[in-house]
Each structure stands twice: as C-alpha cells, then as structure tokens.
Amino acid sequence: MKRHLTAREAGLMSCHVCGQLAHIPADRAALLRCPRCRAPMHLRKPASVSTTWALIIAAAVLFVPANLLPMMTTSSLLGRQQDTIMSGVVFLWQSGSWPLAAVVFFASIMVPLLKIIALAWLTVTVQRRSRRSVMQRTRLYRIVEFVGRWSMLDIYVITILVALVNFRGLATIEAGPAAIAFGAVVVLTMFAAMSFDPRLIWDPLTESGKPATHV
Amino acid sequence: MSDPTPPALPTAVVDPPRRFRIPLVWVIPIVAALIGLFLAGRTWYEQGPVVTLQFRTGAGLEPGKTRIKYKDVDVGQISTVRLAKDGSHVVATAQMAREAAPLLVEDTRFWVVSAKVSGSAVSGLDTLLSGTYVGMDAGKSSEARRDFVGLEDAPVVSLGVPGRSFALHADTLGSIDVGTPVYFRRIQAGQVTAFKLDDAGQHLDIQVFIKAPYDRFVTIDTRFWNASGIDLKLGAEGLQLNTESATAILAGGLAFETPPGGDTEAAPAGQDFRLFPTRAEALKQPSSNAQIWQLRFTETLRGLSVGAPVDFRGIQIGEVISISPDVDVDAADVGLQVDIAVFPERMQSRRDATQDMSEADFRAFVDRLIKRGLRAQLRNGNLVTGQLYVAMDFFPNAGTAKIDWAGQPPQLPTQRGSLDELQATLSRIAAKLDRLPLDDIAAETRRAIAGLASAVERTEALMQRLDGLASNEVRAAVAETQQTMAEARAAVADGRRLLASDAPLQQDLRDSLQELSRAAQSLRHLTDMLERNPEALLRGKPEEKP
Ligand SMILES: [Zn+2]
C-alpha cells in the first residue's frame, strides 16, 4: 500500500474542537492547548484504547440483562404478558411476520452484539499494533459508527407504544428493566465507537518498530 | 484577502503537566457491572420457587402463557408442560412468584379454570378472553410442598372462607351437584362441595359447606332436606306445593332448619346429618319418640302409602311407616300388615295425663280405649285420587277385641273400612232379595185361583141343575147364590189379572227388585273399579285391555 505523509510525521497536530493546525512542541510530556481556542490538544484521542475497553466491557455486561429481562410488560384484558426481546422475536416469527422478526432480531440482538465484537476486535488489533487488513478495519469502524444510531430502534418502538397504548384498564404497556439495560448498551457502544480513534489503526504502518503513541 | 501572505502555523500552547489523573472512564464498566448484578440479584430475589403440577390433561395449558392465580392475582406462570413418563397424566412446571412461596404448603390446591356452563351457573367467563388459567387455593398447613396433583374441578369453597363443612347422607342424588346452593330461611348459606357414593353403593355422602354467619345455626338437631325443584305432593292431605327459590326450582338446592325446641348449640364441623327428601319429612318428630303399632287389614290397601297420615278425628297423630303382606302359613291366610308410628306428643292432653303414665297404666288405658270401641280403620282421604289414610275412631258397635301386648309391635284391632262396609251391606241386601221365592209364590197363588175358579164353575152348574127342581124359595136362594158366584168370579178374574205374569203390579215389583239387584251389582262394580283404578273418577273408565 502506498504510504502517505501523516500530520504527525510532518510535526503537526490539529485541534479537535476548532480544527486549528499547530506545530507539535518539543516537550512531549506537556499538556498542550489549542493556540486559537485554548481547548486541550492531543495527537490522538486521549486514552482511546482504555476508554473504549471500559465502554465495551460495560456494554457487554449490560447486554446480558438486556436480553434476559423482560423488555416490556403488556397488560390488557387478555392478561398480563412480559416479553423479552427474544420472546418478542419468537412471537413475531411464529405469527408469520418473518421480515419484522428478522428486523427486530438484527436491530436489537445482532447489531449491538456485533458492534461490541467489532469494537473489541478493533481495539485488540490496535493494541497488538496489527498491520494487517487496515483498510477493512477502517471500513468496519465506519460501519459501526454509522449503524450505532439505528440500534435504538427497540427503544423507540417501546417509547412510542408506552405513550400510545395506555387505555386505562383496557391495555397498558410498560417498559421493563431490560429496556434500560438495552438503552445503556446502545449508548455505551456509541460512546465506545466515539472514543475509539481510527487513526490508531493506521499508526503501526507509519512508525514501524517505534513504541506506541501515547497521549 | 487583506493579507495575501498567510501567517505561519502556530505552535500548540504548552501547559504545565497535570497531576496523575484517575482514569474515570473505568467507573463506567464498574457501574454497569453493579447495575447488572443488581438486576440479576433482583430477578433472582423476585423469582419464587418452581413447583410441578400434575393434571389429567394439558388442555389449555400453554408454557410461558398460562398464569397461576390466587385470589385473582397472578402468582406464577406455567413454564413447561410435558407428558409424564408413563403417559398417564401431564406434568407442568410452574415458576411461582416469590410472595407465593409461603402459600405452597401441603394442602394447597391447584386446578384448571376454563369457561364452564352448567345448569346453575356460568363460571370462568373471563377465561374466554384471557385464556385458561390455573387457579390456586392456599392451604393452611405449615409444611412446605413443591409437587402438587391438580384437582379435576375447581373447589367450590376456597380454604380461606370461614365456615364449616357437614356430611349429609341421602338415598339419591336428585338434582344435587357440586355447587348446589344450601339455603337457610331462603338465604343462600352454603354450597355442596362434593358428593360420592359410599362403599356399599347404598347411600350418597354429600359434603356441604355452610358459610360463617350461618354455620352456627346448624345444630345437632338441624334437619337438611332437598329443596330441589318444586315439591308437589299429592297425598291424603291433598295437593301441597313447596319451593325454596327460583334458582332452586331450576338448579336444585338444599335447605336446612332446626325444628323449634331443638338444640341451639352449634354442631361440630363434619357432623353427619340425614338428607330428607322433603321439608315436611325433615321437620317431623324424630321417630325415636314414636310408638309403633301394628295393624292387620283384610281389605285391599291400594291407595295407602308409606307416610300416609294416621288421623284421630281430623288430628294427625302419626304416619304409616311400612306396609307388608303378613303370611300365616298355618291358617293358609295372607293378611296385610301396616305398621304405624304414633307420636304421643300430639295426643298430649292439657293435663299431660299420658306424660308420666307408667307402662302398665298406659296399657290399661289403651285397653279401656279398645273396650270403648277404639279401632283403626282405612278411610278414603281423597275421593279424587283414592288415597287412603288410617283413621283411629270409636266404633261402639264393634265386637270385642283385645290388644296382644306381647306382639312386637303390639297389634291394634281394626275395623273394616267405611266404603267396604257400605259395599258389604248392599251385597247382603241384594243376596236376601235374590233369595225371595217370588216366582213360586206367584205360581202357587195362580194355582189356588185356578182351583177356586173351577169350584165356582162347578157350583154354578149345580145351581143351574137345582134351579129346575127347586121351589121358589130354593130358586131365590139359588139366584142369590148365583149372584154371589158372579161376584166371586169377578173377584177371581180380578185376582187372576192381578197375578198374571204381565200384571202391572207384579211387573212393577219384579222390575223394582231387579233394579235394586242391578244397582247393588253396579255399586259393587263401581267400588271394585274405583279401588282398582282410583283415577277413573278423573279420567273416566280405562280402556279394557285385550
Ligand atoms: Zn482549537
């Protein structure tokens, strides 16, 4: 692959807030600030790997109750029913709504799961300074970031249902504890994707043999 | 634009290095783990015990759907339904709520609730919408239990309801069913909870549950009776109609009442009672106080039934308790034996004379009554239906009779029934009339008159011959004699006319006698037929069967 000059190799860095370019000072341990807007300046997102790890682990932990606990409680004349995400998918599948079942399954179970796995893999490879399939990993990161906002689908559906279906005595829908966990998973993975610095994927190519960039 | 040459790139501003920062970001997974632990812990805490329920069929049981309800509150959910290993029943496992755990004890009951329509009630209609659910009734035992055998039917009374159960014994079930109401003064006071045939198959054991405020009215002396439907009784007393309530008419019911003067202390739970078929029977005096007498009748007992009243000049003093043929092998005779129970309380005089009488005094008293002509007699209580009753009355003309006090029970003398008596008298008259030799008398008279007539004729001829010979005096005498003869002949002719077989008088007499005889015969036929077919008075003579 053709190598290009990076800003760091050129001795430059940019402000994350206002985008101002500046020369990297010689004192590397110092805390840098933007010469224009005084925002803290970093060569890479600070503590990107550890932050991403923390958020991924948190998301993975919450992914368990999100899938095991009831997502919503439907009370109606026909009785009270608690549904987990999976039982909802099973119900949709059994009642013949296969496309809908597939959508819910992918949006609510597969996407968060794959996001967690993808981010974990990206972080691991970055930590191991892998130089392989850099391009693919970058694309994966783009997909993960793009998909993030759509995995709130379930939460949106429940929010709308809870607001709409509230005929006192006839039928009410309440969000279950899994909804909170699920929302947390989605938010945490979004933050994890944000805290991950994709430039770290490319770094091993530029500084072969050099110690990892920090701060 | 104003400055065509761009300024040089600035250098990042250097701040003094900061102290070591705690990586706050790790708080997030810790919090997440805490939340996860909390949720898991709460779920685990809220999760109650798992119980297994055995049911005969799995009808309506849906894993993950079917709820378990106690007092109409969800306390659990069926999680799996599978066939037992030997295939004889269905085993369902249920995840119970935590708060239901203390309720799962030895005598806790489970049953499947589905919509049920029976004669008296429609139940479980809510299950039409919500689907079948499993009902639960918490037991009172303190011993925990996790595997239960489901009931076939919902228990009528849940364990928590205050009240007491009693056992009733009946000959037939009638229209009683589980859930049949039990009334006390026409208030629904309880329900039939179960019934079963006893081991011998002779009686039915019926369990009733009387709710709390009413159960204290059930005493040792309380009588229960079947208040099902309409109690329409046609007896010697006439037509009687009793009913407890409109529901009881449709769906049957039981009722109870304590006769006045009965024990007022509440009966213990589980007390046995007899279930009487009617209220009247239930409230009769207990037969232990009754005196049993035996009656022997030679006439037909058609129309007399067990329970028929024993009456003394209009007051019911007892009832017929059994009717049976009494075969006397030695005398080659079959009599009919009627046992009656007489309740002495109903004959108590104002002075309570019979109350504290000794056995010997009482016997002497009854003997005196018999001497005065006290007899038992069958009487027709209802001409329309031909129901008979036993009347006790004085018959001063009755022959002498004595009570055999050695008999068990003692036998009271009887008098032929009134209708029977009339019939016998008419038969006797008819027989006597039959025996009158009317034809012989008529023939004798006719012969006598004929002889008289020939004598008259002979005398006349003699007179005529004498007429020619005799003197005037003699002629005068003969003339006179001739006139007498003419008169005599006229008399004879009159007599002959009178005695001719078609003479009006004789005809009238014979007709009358024949009528009388026929009337007697008809009356006999009528009484016979009425005895055989009392209903003929209502419906007419029955068709002769070939
Ligand atoms: Zn800036």
Side-chain angles (χ1 to χ4, degrees), chain A residues 7-69:
Chain A
R8 185 168 52 179
E9 283 175 317
L12 295 173
M13 65 196 300
S14 68
C15 172
H16 295 304
V17 182
C18 66
Q20 173 69 50
L21 266 179
H23 288 289
I24 304 171
D27 183 5
R28 297 215 126 188
L31 191 72
L32 306 180
R33 286 190 180 278
C34 173
R36 186 162 68 178
C37 72
R38 298 286 155 182
M41 278 182 100
H42 311 281
L43 266 174
R44 298 287 178 263
K45 284 181 185 168
S48 170
V49 170
S50 62
T51 310
T52 309
W53 266 131
L55 293 170
I56 288 172
I57 290 168
V61 165
L62 288 178
F63 188 71
V64 178
N67 279 284
L68 292 184
L69 295 183

Side-chain angles (χ1 to χ4, degrees), chain A residues 8 24 60 90 122 133 138 174-176 186 198:
Chain A
R8 185 168 52 179
I24 304 171
V90 169
L122 288 177
S133 52
T138 314
E174 291 165 33
V186 173

Side-chain angles (χ1 to χ4, degrees), chain B residues 231-292:
Chain B
D231 178 16
L232 187 66
K233 195 181 162 202
L234 190 62
E237 299 97 334
L239 196 65
Q240 287 183 323
L241 178 72
N242 277 313
T243 179
E244 202 62 31
S245 78
T247 321
I249 291 176
L250 289 174
L254 304 179
F256 69 88
E257 197 177 319
T258 306
D263 202 338
T264 51
E265 202 175 309
Q271 175 77 30
D272 283 355
F273 293 96
R274 203 185 129 194
L275 181 65
F276 293 90
T278 62
R279 179 174 189 270
E281 253 176 83
L283 294 183
K284 264 178 196 161
Q285 294 293 331
S287 49
S288 56
N289 293 350
Q291 287 174 357
I292 312 293

Side-chain angles (χ1 to χ4, degrees), chain B residues 174-451:
Chain B
S175 51
I176 301 168
D177 198 354
V178 169
T180 296
V182 180
Y183 295 95
F184 175 66
R185 300 193 187 283
R186 296 204 164 84
I187 301 169
Q188 189 178 337
Q191 274 175 311
V192 172
T193 53
F195 60 83
K196 69 174 176 64
L197 209 60
D198 71 357
D199 294 337
Q202 296 294 313
H203 294 278
L204 276 161
D205 293 337
I206 300 168
Q207 289 288 328
V208 293
F209 181 83
I210 309 296
K211 283 184 285 189
Y214 309 107
D215 63 337
R216 64 192 165 92
F217 300 116
V218 179
T219 71
I220 299 285
D221 288 336
T222 294
R223 313 290 169 80
F224 285 83
W225 68 89
N226 193 335
S228 293
I230 301 169
D231 178 16
L232 187 66
K233 195 181 162 202
L234 190 62
E237 299 97 334
L239 196 65
Q240 287 183 323
L241 178 72
N242 277 313
T243 179
E244 202 62 31
S245 78
T247 321
I249 291 176
L250 289 174
L254 304 179
F256 69 88
E257 197 177 319
T258 306
D263 202 338
T264 51
E265 202 175 309
Q271 175 77 30
D272 283 355
F273 293 96
R274 203 185 129 194
L275 181 65
F276 293 90
T278 62
R279 179 174 189 270
E281 253 176 83
L283 294 183
K284 264 178 196 161
Q285 294 293 331
S287 49
S288 56
N289 293 350
Q291 287 174 357
I292 312 293
W293 298 91
Q294 195 180 74
L295 309 175
R296 221 182 125 89
F297 292 102
T298 49
E299 61 213 272
T300 177
L301 297 184
R302 177 173 288 278
L304 186 72
S305 53
V306 170
V310 174
D311 171 301
F312 178 75
R313 292 181 176 172
I315 302 166
Q316 195 188 331
I317 57 168
E319 62 172 1
V320 172
I321 54 174
S322 81
I323 299 170
S324 56
D326 173 27
V327 182
D328 188 344
V329 179
D330 295 334
D333 186 22
V334 178
L336 292 164
Q337 176 179 308
V338 175
D339 286 351
I340 58 168
V342 175
F343 308 120
E345 294 94 334
R346 303 193 188 181
M347 289 199 294
Q348 265 171 29
S349 68
R350 226 173 290 152
R351 290 183 296 136
D352 263 9
T354 55
Q355 185 76 346
D356 35 43
M357 218 180 241
S358 75
E359 180 77 19
D361 283 351
F362 178 71
R363 286 184 178 188
F365 168 64
V366 176
D367 280 336
R368 278 210 307 283
L369 289 178
I370 300 297
K371 207 171 175 187
R372 273 196 57 208
L374 183 72
R375 297 287 184 275
Q377 188 186 41
L378 287 180
R379 283 188 190 166
N380 205 314
N382 193 320
L383 266 176
V384 176
T385 60
Q387 298 295 323
L388 297 181
Y389 67 96
V390 176
M392 307 288 285
D393 208 343
F394 289 103
F395 297 91
N397 299 328
T400 54
K402 275 199 77 162
I403 291 187
D404 177 17
W405 287 105
Q408 268 314 327
Q411 194 173 327
L412 274 180
T414 57
Q415 181 79 7
R416 290 178 72 83
S418 46
L419 195 62
D420 207 48
E421 190 85 341
L422 174 63
Q423 193 185 330
T425 312
L426 278 171
S427 301
R428 268 202 310 277
I429 294 170
K432 272 183 189 151
L433 283 172
D434 252 0
R435 278 202 303 276
L436 277 180
L438 284 175
D439 285 350
D440 291 357
I441 294 168
E444 199 83 2
T445 316
R446 210 179 289 138
R447 246 195 332 272
I449 286 170

Side-chain angles (χ1 to χ4, degrees), chain A residues 12 22-23 30-31 33 51 69 78, chain B residues 9-10 12-15 25 43 129:
Chain A
L12 295 173
H23 288 289
L31 191 72
R33 286 190 180 278
T51 310
L69 295 183
L78 309 178
Chain B
L9 270 176
V13 181
V14 176
D15 264 10
V25 70
T43 310
L129 284 174

